[in-house]
Amino acid sequence: MTTLLFVHGAGGFTEDRSLADALAGASGVDVDMPEFSDEDMSFEAWARPLRARLESLDPSDILVAHSFGASVLLRVLAERQWGFHEPVTLLAMPDWGAGGWDVPEYAFDGPEPTTSLALHHCRDDEVVPFEHLASNAALLPSARIVEHPSGGHQFHGADWPTM
């Protein structure tokens, strides 16, 4: 059975649960949402367990990541070919480069992953400015870009296609 792996944002294990459940419900699949560290926010502290989780997935499983979790997942996907069939969905992903929040430890500098990507962002995101979507789109020219008119950082009330 297909599973939706949801990578929550920084400090968002509880807060992101309703978003993960809504996406899984829209897709008619079960959600798997592992808890990542709030204590150690280094890239490797999140990437190590994420790599292990990706190794255990079936290529038909669905991958979705939110905010900080999307940033980590993007960099992990760029490390090698993973072979997932469905596009990976990155929600409200910050731009950590010089044109965004300028935090080199988290910045993505390529190469673009071979995995198909979809970048979603709400125009009224109160946490990650909407302008970060354009910056990320420039870094990931193959990604599908989806702008949501409203929903904030948590995508409240956003219409979701089946993943």
Side-chain angles (χ1 to χ4, degrees), residues 31-113:
V31 67
D32 174 17
M33 187 172 148
E35 186 169 7
F36 292 90
S37 177
D38 288 338
E39 305 302 316
D40 185 349
M41 295 300 300
S42 68
F43 171 76
E44 275 303 318
W46 281 50
R48 263 190 313 276
L50 182 55
R51 286 183 197 107
R53 200 56 152 250
L54 294 179
E55 290 286 348
S56 70
L57 293 179
D58 186 90
S60 64
D61 286 335
I62 300 167
L63 295 175
V64 179
H66 182 236
S67 197
F68 180 77
S71 301
V72 174
L73 178 58
L74 173 63
R75 287 186 50 196
V76 168
L77 290 173
E79 293 173 350
R80 69 180 184 104
Q81 291 186 359
W82 290 91
F84 294 105
H85 302 313
E86 299 296 324
V88 172
T89 301
L90 305 174
L91 307 170
M93 184 172 66
D95 171 12
W96 298 99
W101 285 342
D102 198 17
V103 181
E105 178 183 1
Y106 305 136
F108 176 75
D109 59 3
E112 188 172 8

